Amino acid sequence: MQREVGSLPLAPALRARLAAAGFQTAQELLETGPCGLSKEIGISKEEALEALQVVRQECHGDAARTAGGSGATRKFTALELLEEEQAQGFIITFCSALDNILGGGVQLTKITEVCGAPGVGKTQLCMQLAVDVQIPECFGGVAGEAVFIDTEGSFMVDRVVDIAAACVQHCQLIAEAQQEEDHLKALETFSLESILSHIYYFRCRDYIELLAQVYLLPEFLSEHSRVRLVVIDGIAFPFRHDFEDLSLRTRLLNGLAQQLIMVANDHKAAVVLTNQMTTRIGQSQSTLVPALGESWGHAATVRVIFHWDNSQRLATLYKSPSQKEATIPYHITPHGFRDVQPPAVTQKAEGTEMNPRKRPRREEEEKQQQFQS
Amino acid sequence: MDWDQFDLNPRTVAALKKADIKSVKEILNLSGADLQRLMKLSSADIQCLLKTVSLTLRRNSMVTALQLYQDNDNLTSQRQKLSLGCSVLDNLLKGGIPLVGITELAGESSAGKTQISLQLCLCVQYPYKYGGLESGAVYICTEDAFPSKRLQQLIGQQHKLRADVPAEIIQKIKFGNSIFVEHAADLDTFHKCITTRLSLLLARGMVRLVVIDSIAALFRCEFGASESVMKARYLQTFGAQLHSLSTRFRTPIMCINQVTDAVSELEAAQCSCRVVGNRVVPALGITWANQLLMRLMASRISLPGQASGVASHCTGSVRTLRVVFAPHLPPSSCYYTVQLEGVKGIK
């Protein structure tokens, strides 16, 4: 309220007149009122009203800032940010190697992009995450719900049932081994039906429906405040045809990315997007690169690329602000997304790798290895 | 566009009409700042407009996974699939071909792709109880003539293939009447066929299966190596149109594809054809593969180590049907033979 008149965002001519009339602080202006002001400096009543409105807004903004209230401008120290980040939850993927290179799992409040050729396991990872986000806190999860936006129609609920059943069984084994009160209590509400009922599924058939759905996300997440994961399976599919004007596409994608960042931050949710691969024809050879262009590469905070090496699936961490680049192998089993077993154990399993349904005995060992640290 | 049907402020409606904005698509294509400038409204009004328009477009669009799981209605259930007419093959695919999405069947010549497609055209006409969709099929030929003689043979032998269906039901179905054959040898004819003829047949409910034999033939001669961008654009457009028809009418689209030799290990690895010694990859590359829900591969090579017992009593014509990728199936395979009555799997 004690702001000097010279520092207020008014027209220079007006400021000069105010100074000449002897006004020094914003408080004096507000006390005078519009009629008095217009008489003193010789401006019309409308102009005086407008000027006072500006002054009032500025003073409100100052007050909010000093009180440290909510709004766009809040001050943090780096230490506070570090503590907040470390307390942030991760959504585990059940593949400990992948969780390790990601720094603990898929991080909340960040956008993670998964790229890969068709059939490599992107949708499988998304389905796994939609189940894993619901793991109760006593088992090391974030106890959240999931929003699944499907643009390609590849969400097969029977597969999600398999993955969810395996996850529940895994938690039951841990509870049996550790025999703790809160584990057993959490298991009462962590069942197949409850997992399925907390995955909110939206089917978007073209980019207009996708844009509309993302406009509605903030409200949906405010109503369903336990949602901690938003998956968009197939961000590339609706944007890769139907666009004569690529600059429109870039603008729409940028807008989409901005909205998703806001959603991730405001609602403490992880956003996971899957992208396709396209061929970039170089001078002597062609390589596979993520689709949607170079500018889209800036949208996601973390980028993981899935690819093949002969018959082994690999995941490479391509872009991350805090983890270093690394490549790990992973496996898709009937129970979902898993680690690759170490070589000593897989001697017997190599021959049956083509038909993973025939590995009942190894599942027990696999489960032992997946204990949450 | 009648803006009055939306729940909008009259001032906003007037501004929309004055700015000559005719569709929801235009509104969502413009940025917030552009909309403010065009309609001369405040940013709060624009936010309200965007929310209202989005809500109207996406009203009632949420389902939970539990509702999807418990849905057993013939018309909407995900569990509803198109049977292949043979229990062994259906087991491989956990029920059959999914109803929404493009399924590809790739393989070398004379692997049995056309046989499987013809069989599907007959299977789709059976009642829901027997794995069909009670409707006809469209068969789009892009290179060879339609094998009508073979179709007549198969029709005659349906009672032998489908022993699970009572004879009176088979006799009642007029198989030949519900198969619509189209010929489209070049891209423009194909485009016209999809956009006009196909959507008409689908809208009238006369067909619920589309077979394209083969998609690769349309692209092989017309595009040289330097026109790959053009080719990719056509593939994406066709893929999107087929996908949209499939979603709107819940109709499976079966595309037959040819194979080419894998030039390098990298290429073979990229398309996830992981059988050792298999040096062929489906044609049309990753651009087409991105449009698919499911890819099946038919071949005459039997898998090593498991064929000896099987092949001994079926001389010379054992084929393999392999799931290359699908969101709900593990990579697996089974054997089949092509006999007079059709394609039958071998346990």
Side-chain angles (χ1 to χ4, degrees):
Chain A
M1 288 306 256
Q2 293 308 311
R3 256 180 90 165
E4 284 215 8
V5 164
S7 70
L8 291 169
L10 297 167
L14 187 58
R15 264 186 285 171
R17 287 202 200 191
L18 287 170
F23 286 102
Q24 280 183 329
T25 65
Q27 180 78 2
E28 289 173 15
L29 281 178
L30 289 172
E31 276 172 8
T32 317
C35 303
L37 199 61
S38 69
K39 255 188 244 147
E40 292 241 42
I41 357 179
I43 52 174
S44 70
K45 283 222 188 87
E46 289 82 34
E47 284 175 33
L49 258 173
E50 264 181 47
L52 282 176
Q53 260 182 357
V54 170
V55 171
R56 236 175 251 125
Q57 256 182 357
E58 276 302 304
C59 293
H60 271 305
D62 284 343
R65 244 170 270 154
T66 46
S70 66
T73 48
R74 280 177 67 190
K75 276 192 307 184
F76 285 107
T77 63
L79 182 62
E80 287 169 15
L81 284 176
L82 178 64
E83 285 169 4
E84 203 178 295
E85 206 175 280
Q86 284 182 337
Q88 211 64 265
F90 291 92
I91 308 177
I92 60 165
T93 62
F94 267 114
C95 171
S96 55
L98 184 59
D99 289 339
N100 283 339
I101 62 169
L102 288 173
V106 172
Q107 199 172 6
L108 298 182
T109 74
K110 303 254 187 301
I111 301 189
T112 305
E113 188 183 354
V114 178
C115 317
V120 76
K122 311 184 288 292
T123 306
Q124 301 296 313
L125 178 63
C126 293
M127 295 198 260
Q128 183 76 59
L129 288 171
V131 169
D132 290 350
V133 71
Q134 306 191 37
I135 295 178
E137 279 165 356
C138 55
F139 292 106
V142 297
E145 301 175 352
V147 165
F148 199 106
I149 301 179
D150 187 6
T151 61
E152 297 176 350
S154 50
F155 183 83
M156 300 295 212
V157 75
D158 287 332
R159 179 66 177 141
V160 178
V161 164
D162 289 342
I163 295 177
C167 183
V168 169
Q169 215 184 4
H170 178 93
C171 291
Q172 278 172 344
L173 282 177
I174 297 181
E176 272 168 37
Q178 296 188 345
Q179 287 293 333
E180 275 175 46
E181 213 26 78
D182 48 350
H183 283 186
L184 297 166
K185 196 154 172 285
L187 270 181
E188 283 166 28
T189 47
F190 189 60
S191 68
L192 180 63
E193 276 80 26
S194 95
I195 296 179
L196 289 180
S197 64
H198 293 306
I199 300 180
Y200 304 110
Y201 175 77
F202 297 89
R203 176 82 167 91
C204 292
R205 277 169 264 202
D206 55 34
Y207 78 92
I208 298 289
E209 290 190 11
L210 180 61
L211 288 177
Q213 195 63 63
V214 175
Y215 271 119
L216 295 174
L217 261 184
E219 209 175 293
F220 186 83
L221 291 190
S222 304
E223 284 168 25
H224 298 85
S225 56
R226 285 184 53 201
V227 171
R228 289 282 172 273
L229 174 68
V230 175
V231 174
I232 302 186
D233 187 8
I235 188 89
F237 186 75
F239 284 101
R240 289 191 76 200
H241 63 95
D242 218 15
F243 274 96
E244 287 303 330
D245 180 10
L246 282 182
S247 62
L248 171 66
R249 183 178 93 169
T250 311
R251 183 166 55 69
L252 290 176
L253 282 171
N254 284 339
L256 202 61
Q258 296 284 11
Q259 287 175 309
L260 290 172
I261 293 176
M262 277 203 293
V263 159
N265 268 320
D266 293 343
H267 302 271
K268 265 185 76 167
V271 176
V272 175
L273 312 171
T274 63
N275 196 0
Q276 295 172 349
M277 301 295 265
T278 183
T279 320
R280 182 197 282 157
I281 302 179
Q283 283 184 343
S284 55
Q285 52 170 344
S286 55
T287 49
L288 280 187
V289 296
L292 296 181
E294 291 287 338
S295 56
W296 177 248
H298 301 291
T301 318
V302 176
R303 193 177 237 188
V304 179
I305 299 191
F306 286 178
H307 53 110
W308 293 95
D309 174 25
N310 289 327
S311 41
Q312 177 58 57
R313 298 175 206 247
L314 298 173
T316 302
L317 181 65
Y318 198 72
K319 173 187 175 192
S320 166
S322 50
Q323 304 297 318
K324 72 171 185 177
E325 205 176 297
T327 303
I328 52 102
Y330 68 91
H331 227 54
I332 313 262
T333 67
H335 299 289
F337 208 80
R338 294 289 188 272
D339 273 308
V340 166
Q341 295 300 316
V345 184
T346 48
Q347 267 315 327
K348 174 173 61 151
E350 278 295 41
T352 53
E353 195 183 296
M354 290 295 280
N355 207 347
R357 279 181 283 205
K358 289 190 179 156
R359 290 186 310 194
R361 237 176 300 148
R362 286 196 318 110
E363 297 311 314
E364 305 310 309
E365 293 169 41
E366 206 184 77
K367 283 191 181 81
Q368 298 293 338
Q369 288 190 8
Q370 298 297 341
F371 272 93
Q372 269 299 290
S373 52
Chain B
M1 168 65 80
D2 181 18
W3 294 115
D4 298 318
Q5 65 180 294
F6 290 83
D7 196 13
L8 290 170
N9 192 327
R11 193 162 41 110
T12 315
V13 175
L16 279 170
K17 291 188 179 152
K18 193 160 166 213
D20 199 25
I21 295 180
K22 293 197 196 62
S23 64
V24 172
K25 185 169 169 173
E26 272 183 59
I27 297 182
L28 290 175
N29 269 345
L30 290 166
S31 70
D34 281 335
L35 279 171
Q36 269 185 281
R37 221 173 358 100
L38 266 177
M39 305 207 322
K40 301 189 184 33
L41 292 172
S42 71
S43 85
D45 283 331
I46 299 294
Q47 286 305 316
C48 184
L49 167 67
L50 286 170
K51 283 249 162 58
T52 314
V53 157
S54 304
L55 258 174
T56 316
L57 194 63
R58 300 297 296 164
R59 214 197 316 253
N60 298 332
S61 57
M62 181 201 82
V63 283
T64 63
L66 189 62
Q67 287 168 319
L68 282 176
Y69 182 51
Q70 291 171 335
D71 183 1
N72 278 318
D73 188 339
N74 273 339
L75 293 173
T76 49
S77 172
Q78 260 196 11
R79 225 162 282 136
Q80 185 77 26
K81 297 207 171 68
L82 173 59
S83 157
L84 264 82
C86 162
S87 54
V88 175
L89 296 176
D90 284 344
N91 278 341
L92 175 74
L93 300 181
K94 290 208 180 141
I97 312 278
L99 296 190
V100 178
I102 307 179
T103 304
E104 179 186 273
L105 179 58
E108 314 144 324
S109 52
S110 78
K113 311 188 290 292
T114 307
Q115 303 300 315
I116 295 180
S117 317
L118 287 176
Q119 187 151 316
L120 271 176
C121 289
L122 298 175
C123 288
V124 72
Q125 304 185 37
Y126 284 91
Y128 286 110
K129 199 166 138 195
Y130 301 107
L133 298 174
E134 292 178 7
S135 193
V138 176
Y139 199 104
I140 304 179
C141 295
T142 61
E143 36 178 8
D144 300 324
F146 181 73
S148 30
K149 240 172 75 172
R150 177 59 176 150
L151 181 68
Q152 292 308 319
Q153 252 182 6
L154 288 173
I155 294 177
Q157 298 286 319
Q158 275 298 289
H159 60 277
K160 204 164 159 214
L161 179 73
R162 302 301 298 266
D164 55 316
V165 183
E168 57 269 13
I169 296 188
I170 301 184
Q171 272 166 8
K172 258 195 281 181
I173 307 178
K174 300 216 174 344
F175 290 105
N177 285 357
S178 312
I179 302 183
F180 301 86
V181 179
E182 299 278 332
H183 286 273
D186 59 73
L187 291 167
D188 290 320
T189 326
F190 186 69
H191 183 76
K192 227 177 289 179
C193 179
I194 303 181
T195 46
T196 51
R197 314 270 277 269
L198 204 55
S199 26
L200 197 63
L201 286 168
L202 285 167
R204 290 197 187 152
M206 296 161 80
V207 299
R208 281 197 73 191
L209 169 68
V210 179
V211 177
I212 301 174
D213 185 1
S214 62
I215 188 91
L218 289 168
F219 290 90
R220 290 200 120 172
C221 355
E222 293 200 27
F223 292 96
S226 55
E227 293 163 303
S228 48
V229 174
M230 188 66 152
K231 180 172 164 180
R233 202 170 291 168
Y234 268 111
L235 278 172
Q236 278 166 350
T237 313
F238 286 157
Q241 283 168 337
L242 290 171
H243 195 95
S244 138
L245 285 172
S246 175
T247 315
R248 248 195 312 155
F249 298 105
R250 266 179 75 85
T251 299
I253 311 241
M254 176 66 124
C255 286
I256 297 187
N257 198 3
Q258 291 155 355
V259 293
T260 61
D261 291 309
V263 174
S264 61
E265 279 299 332
L266 183 65
E267 216 180 290
Q270 271 168 18
C271 80
S272 59
C273 292
R274 298 149 23 198
V275 180
V276 172
N278 194 351
R279 302 290 303 178
V280 293
V281 299
L284 301 177
I286 198 168
T287 317
W288 177 243
N290 277 328
Q291 315 291 332
L292 304 172
L293 176 73
M294 184 162 100
R295 176 174 262 173
L296 304 170
M297 191 99 148
S299 50
R300 297 189 82 136
I301 312 166
S302 4
L303 286 171
Q306 288 173 316
S308 42
V310 169
S312 54
H313 57 271
C314 301
T315 47
S317 61
V318 176
R319 331 268 168 115
T320 315
L321 183 65
R322 194 157 62 86
V323 174
V324 177
F325 64 75
H328 60 303
L329 302 171
S332 45
S333 60
C334 78
Y335 298 105
Y336 66 94
T337 55
V338 180
Q339 295 172 0
L340 181 66
E341 64 265 25
V343 174
K344 288 172 98 153
I346 304 172
K347 271 215 234 311

